[in-house]
Amino acid sequence: MDAGEVRHWNADVNGVSIHVAERGPEDGPAVLLLHGFPELWLSWRHQMAALAARGFRALAPDLRGYGDSSAPSDPAAYSIFHIVGDVVALLDHLQLTKVFVAGHDWGAHAAWLLCLFRPDRVRAAVVLGVPYSARHAHARPITEAFAAFGEGFYINQLQEAGRAESAFARYDVATVLKKFYSIEIDDVTAPPGVEIIDFLEASPSPLPWISEEELGQYAEKFHKSGFTGPLNYYRMSETNSRLLAPWNGAKITVPVKFIAGDKDIGAQSFGTGEYIKSAEFESTVPDLEVTVIEGHHFLQQEQAERVNSEMVSYLVRFTS
């Protein structure tokens, strides 16, 4: 089947304007693709083509704060209920009762929570890089847990309003993005007194999975919308953890394919690599398949063909 061209449109939903890139037949099974930091709908370009070619309707929004979607400046506008609320409102706008969902990085978190809050709207999910872990009643506050990693830990540095934005401003936007896109497992904590963006090193040569033209597309959008919206996701971590209290110990009941890179900072740091192989993960997500492949954090771009194959072969099981 011809994958067709990418179509772009915006929808006013949940109090914001959400930009959506769409590819594939409008009457095909819908797959919602949720990106992470610092990315855009464009990070799913390879999967959109593969899905559309198999008759799926691929829908990749810019999440609030990103690209051509609204970017409220107040961190409080980035709670988990706002993010997942945008997704549900988008499905309502499209009159889609039930969809497939895929997520990566912060989009993975949103995909898990869509499955948790509204399993009635999800046929199955494909999640990259960030596993679901049920909130525990006696869990330490997030900020306290992060503090154990020191002041140089990247998430700690992103908490303070304006701090990261000021540090990022010392570089052109493309360089900031390339620094994050070049990230390795050992790059998440800066030495004392050093900003994380100064500590990160941009690859001196072009990254093999993103062209200079594509990097320019990302940079153009981030130059326009800035980084405050995306950083507000991190700044709401503590609040979001508290908001999840009603779901202490809750399981994910929809079918999920989890894909991790063997060198991904999100999937291989801080004990996460052991967790995704554990009985605890399987019991928390009872209908779970786990696949670990070669690759780093931006897996759906770096290992596009393998991710396409894993995703499509999993989703077609639910379409017959």
Side-chain angles (χ1 to χ4, degrees):
M1 178 180 290
D2 182 6
E5 298 297 320
V6 177
R7 307 179 293 277
H8 294 270
W9 46 270
N10 276 64
D12 293 329
V13 294
N14 201 31
V16 291
S17 177
I18 297 295
H19 165 252
V20 178
E22 177 178 359
R23 192 168 186 179
E26 291 188 6
D27 60 351
V31 185
L32 194 65
L33 302 153
L34 307 177
H35 68 79
F37 173 88
E39 298 177 277
L40 302 165
W41 73 268
L42 189 63
S43 66
W44 295 108
R45 59 197 179 279
H46 305 295
Q47 289 69 47
M48 293 178 73
L51 288 165
R54 290 297 297 270
F56 289 92
R57 181 185 186 185
L59 297 156
D62 288 332
L63 298 183
R64 71 163 58 199
Y66 286 88
D68 291 319
S69 292
S70 299
S73 59
D74 185 359
Y78 294 83
S79 78
I80 51 175
F81 297 140
H82 288 88
I83 306 306
V84 179
D86 292 347
V87 174
V88 173
L90 184 60
L91 299 185
D92 291 342
H93 174 80
L94 291 165
Q95 298 182 319
L96 294 171
T97 304
K98 211 164 188 176
V99 298
F100 296 112
V101 63
H104 168 253
D105 189 78
W106 275 107
H109 189 54
W112 285 121
L113 293 180
L114 177 65
C115 294
L116 180 66
F117 298 160
R118 295 301 305 270
D120 60 308
R121 306 300 295 268
V122 182
R123 299 175 69 175
V126 177
V127 182
L128 278 62
V130 179
Y132 173 74
S133 178
R135 187 186 190 278
H136 298 293
H138 303 293
R140 285 193 299 168
I142 292 289
T143 49
E144 182 181 315
F146 289 160
F149 298 120
E151 192 276 337
F153 183 52
Y154 79 106
I155 291 179
N156 292 336
Q157 290 200 4
L158 302 182
Q159 296 298 311
E160 182 182 340
R163 175 178 177 176
E165 292 93 327
S166 295
F168 289 6
R170 292 196 286 270
Y171 303 91
D172 64 84
V173 173
T175 299
V176 171
L177 295 172
K178 196 171 184 181
K179 280 172 172 274
F180 279 108
Y181 297 162
S182 304
I183 202 164
E184 301 279 352
I185 287 178
D186 297 331
D187 289 343
V188 296
T189 303
V194 177
E195 295 297 314
I196 190 69
I197 198 65
D198 296 329
F199 175 64
L200 294 176
E201 293 185 6
S203 171
S205 56
L207 293 167
W209 50 265
I210 185 170
S211 69
E212 290 300 305
E213 180 183 355
E214 289 165 341
L215 181 62
Q217 289 179 265
Y218 281 102
E220 177 187 357
K221 297 301 182 183
F222 277 93
H223 181 76
K224 183 192 79 168
S225 61
F227 286 96
T228 296
L231 292 169
N232 281 339
Y233 285 69
Y234 293 94
R235 291 165 184 161
M236 285 295 288
S237 296
E238 183 65 54
T239 298
N240 284 334
S241 177
R242 293 196 299 270
L243 290 173
L244 279 172
W247 291 273
N248 282 345
K251 297 179 185 294
I252 299 294
T253 59
V254 305
V256 180
K257 171 88 168 183
F258 180 74
I259 307 171
D262 62 355
K263 302 176 188 66
D264 182 353
I265 59 167
Q268 303 298 338
S269 302
F270 313 114
T272 307
E274 291 73 29
Y275 173 73
I276 64 177
K277 301 172 186 175
S278 70
E280 181 184 358
F281 189 25
E282 289 185 357
S283 68
T284 306
V285 188
D287 196 347
L288 174 71
E289 293 185 19
V290 175
T291 300
V292 179
I293 67 176
E294 181 181 355
H296 297 80
H297 184 60
F298 299 95
L299 201 60
Q300 77 271 39
Q301 298 178 82
E302 180 187 356
Q303 297 291 349
E305 289 190 12
R306 178 67 188 278
V307 170
N308 290 351
S309 175
E310 295 287 347
M311 178 181 290
V312 172
S313 64
Y314 183 70
L315 296 183
V316 294
R317 295 187 211 169
F318 303 91
T319 59
S320 58

